[in-house]
Each structure stands twice: as C-alpha cells, then as structure tokens.
Amino acid sequence: MYEVIITSGKYKSMHQTGVSGVMQCWYFGNYPSLMSKAAGELSFREDLVPGDAAAEEAFLTDLAAVFWGRSRAKALSTEIRRLNDESQTFI
C-alpha cells in the first residue's frame, strides 16, 4: 500500500499543475485491481495530502470498503497501515 500513498502525492501534484488527463498502465497493469482502483480514485481526490495520516487512513478505509464492505473496512485499513509501516523497516 506504500505505492498508494506515493501515488496520492503524484495525483495531488498533477491536480495542482493543471494536468487534465492520465493514461494509467503502470507496473501493476491496466487490469482491474485494487491498485488500479486506488489510482483511479486518487486522480479525483483533492483532499488527500501526502503525510496527512488521517486523510490517508480515510482513503484506505474507503478503498477497503469497496472490496471488503464497510463493516470490515476500518479494521482492514488499520491492518494495511500497520503492515505497510512494518514493511518500511526492511527497506
């Protein structure tokens, strides 16, 4: 999920500089997936500021709700954040 957070910064910068379109076909491909959904959502989110943990958590919760339902979303987004933080210790 670290890629989601990095991607959010890229989309925020694109919005600020007036970019009006994007062709999405990165390493995670153009096949419908969690990452493709995240990238698509981020292209329209103006409220997500990189480094704003609360906004990032809200985004992850919304994203998790799409795939696993609203009732499980908060617990899953918290776990995603924990695993991401843990994985960063290995980089």
Side-chain angles (χ1 to χ4, degrees):
M1 287 314 267
Y2 186 67
E3 292 84 6
V4 170
I5 296 167
I6 290 172
T7 302
S8 71
K10 291 179 182 178
Y11 279 104
K12 181 72 172 177
S13 295
M14 290 165 55
H15 263 292
Q16 291 172 340
T17 58
V19 173
S20 62
V22 62
M23 181 176 164
Q24 297 180 168
C25 187
W26 296 312
Y27 73 93
F28 55 83
N30 58 0
Y31 187 78
S33 68
L34 177 82
M35 289 302 294
S36 294
K37 177 67 174 167
E41 292 294 320
L42 289 169
S43 66
F44 295 100
R45 293 284 294 254
E46 295 184 21
D47 62 319
L48 190 57
V49 177
D52 180 346
E56 290 171 356
E57 185 74 24
F59 174 76
L60 292 175
T61 300
D62 291 345
L63 184 63
V66 171
F67 290 88
W68 298 288
R70 182 60 58 189
S71 64
R72 297 176 59 203
K74 180 64 178 162
L76 286 168
S77 68
T78 300
E79 182 66 3
I80 289 166
R81 169 73 65 182
R82 185 190 69 74
L83 290 170
N84 178 66
D85 292 347
E86 183 181 311
S87 72
Q88 298 308 303
T89 63
F90 299 105
I91 295 178

